[in-house]
Amino acid sequence: MNSRLALVAIVLASVMTFSALPAHACAMFAFSRDGLVFMGNNEDYIKDGYMWFVPGRDSGRKARYGRVNFGFADRFAQGGMNTAGLCFDGAALAEVPYAPDPEKK
């Protein structure tokens, strides 16, 4: 029970922290514990986000999982999850210069 309470506290603290900061970006998190994986994200950079469902197929040569997508009016999926629980989201970060280490191959 203590781990569930800790999880709720972390999520609530994150929501309160991120909602208090003015930003034009999306947030995401992922962590695992005791064999469970938790993932969350939001697509709030532009208002009027979209959510749409793509049904799975079980006939034909190849079965396909159904999925839910999250994005904007262009219907380009920015994040989502399929019926097997596989999730994805993208993150845009500032460029970081690469400095090779001459001691490594």
Side-chain angles (χ1 to χ4, degrees):
M1 187 58 134
N2 288 337
S3 62
R4 287 186 182 166
L5 189 58
L7 172 63
V8 170
I10 290 169
V11 170
L12 287 175
S14 298
V15 168
M16 291 182 346
T17 299
F18 288 121
S19 65
L21 300 173
H24 297 287
C26 301
M28 61 193 307
F29 74 90
F31 70 94
S32 64
R33 183 171 186 172
D34 299 329
L36 297 173
V37 178
F38 299 90
M39 182 263 192
N41 69 306
N42 66 342
E43 306 298 341
D44 62 356
Y45 177 69
I46 301 171
K47 72 179 207 173
D48 299 329
Y50 282 74
M51 176 177 72
W52 65 99
F53 297 89
V54 178
R57 289 194 317 235
D58 214 6
S59 60
R61 294 183 301 153
K62 191 174 186 182
R64 304 219 177 214
Y65 293 111
R67 65 185 186 270
V68 59
N69 293 319
F70 303 96
F72 305 109
D74 62 2
R75 304 277 269 185
F76 180 79
Q78 301 287 320
M81 182 171 69
N82 71 13
T83 52
L86 179 65
C87 301
F88 80 94
D89 192 19
L93 305 170
E95 186 175 330
V96 176
Y98 171 71
D101 184 344
E103 301 293 320
K104 297 180 180 177
K105 292 183 179 181

